[in-house]
Amino acid sequence: MSKNKEKNLNENEEPVTEETVQEVSTAELEKQLEEANKALTELNDKYLRIMAEYENYRRRTAKEKDGIYASALADAVSELLPIIDNLERAAGFDDGDKVREGLKMIASTVSSVLTKLGVESYGAPGDKFDPNLHNAVLHDEDDSERENEITDVFQKGYKKGNKIIRFAMVKTIN
């Protein structure tokens, strides 16, 4: 053997040949492939778990949303029931004064129910016209200093916080 080939041999090692290099490379590649497959399996499992969790979250929030809406609706209707009761009682009266008194009581009840629900009315004669809150259906011509002032209210406006429920229908001075 030549001196170069002897240098490649140690006492406990076999000579390095193309076959041994291929065997080592194949074994190493198989090990890497096995590790990659294991990592892929773990990631796939993790992905499936996350998707299942998301689907459960989506179903749960949809159910909660429906429950919240139903509860809010039930609360609002329960506040309106005394008004319906009073209207039915008022319909049973023949005396005009008692009917008028009953209607005033009903209007008071409605006002207190709206207050409980956080709804406030707005739009009164003398207020400044605001196109974001009021719907001007009539205009008066007047040369006085009362420009853009509300002179008459045909329908009150209602809002809850910044949310307009109904715009006030008003008459203004131009």
Side-chain angles (χ1 to χ4, degrees):
M1 277 192 185
S2 71
K3 290 183 179 181
N4 288 340
K5 287 186 180 179
E6 287 179 19
K7 288 182 182 177
N8 289 336
L9 296 176
N10 287 338
E11 292 177 15
N12 297 333
E13 288 187 9
E14 293 182 23
V16 177
T17 62
E18 282 185 38
E19 289 177 10
T20 56
V21 169
Q22 285 179 349
E23 285 178 21
V24 170
S25 296
T26 305
E28 192 174 304
L29 288 174
E30 286 176 355
K31 183 179 177 184
Q32 288 176 357
L33 179 62
E34 203 176 295
E35 289 173 0
N37 281 337
K38 184 178 177 184
L40 178 63
T41 303
E42 288 175 6
L43 286 174
N44 190 40
D45 184 54
K46 187 175 181 181
Y47 167 76
L48 291 175
R49 288 177 189 272
I50 289 172
M51 287 303 295
E53 286 177 18
Y54 173 72
E55 188 63 28
N56 290 338
Y57 167 77
R58 192 182 61 74
R59 280 193 216 118
R60 186 175 58 247
T61 55
K63 186 177 177 181
E64 287 173 0
K65 180 181 167 187
D66 290 343
I68 289 170
Y69 177 77
S71 294
L73 181 64
D75 290 346
V77 169
S78 70
E79 293 294 332
L80 295 174
L81 292 177
I83 298 167
I84 294 169
D85 295 339
N86 288 337
L87 283 170
E88 289 172 350
R89 281 188 211 107
F93 288 118
D94 292 332
D95 183 13
D97 290 335
K98 288 189 177 193
V99 171
R100 186 178 304 109
E101 183 181 329
L103 290 175
K104 286 180 182 179
M105 290 172 62
I106 291 169
S108 173
T109 304
V110 169
S111 178
S112 68
V113 165
L114 291 176
T115 301
K116 283 181 187 176
L117 294 174
V119 176
E120 60 182 280
S121 65
Y122 66 90
D127 287 353
K128 192 79 170 163
F129 175 75
D130 181 354
N132 297 318
L133 300 173
H134 305 101
N135 183 10
V137 293
L138 288 174
H139 299 284
D140 272 343
E141 297 294 326
D142 192 354
D143 292 334
S144 69
E145 296 179 10
R146 298 178 356 174
E147 189 173 325
N148 286 331
E149 184 178 306
I150 296 172
T151 58
D152 203 2
V153 178
F154 302 113
Q155 276 186 341
K156 286 183 182 180
Y158 292 91
K159 64 182 180 174
K160 179 173 173 76
N162 292 332
K163 172 81 172 139
I164 304 298
I165 297 171
R166 181 176 80 184
F167 291 92
M169 193 179 305
V170 298
K171 178 180 178 181
T172 62
I173 295 178
N174 280 349

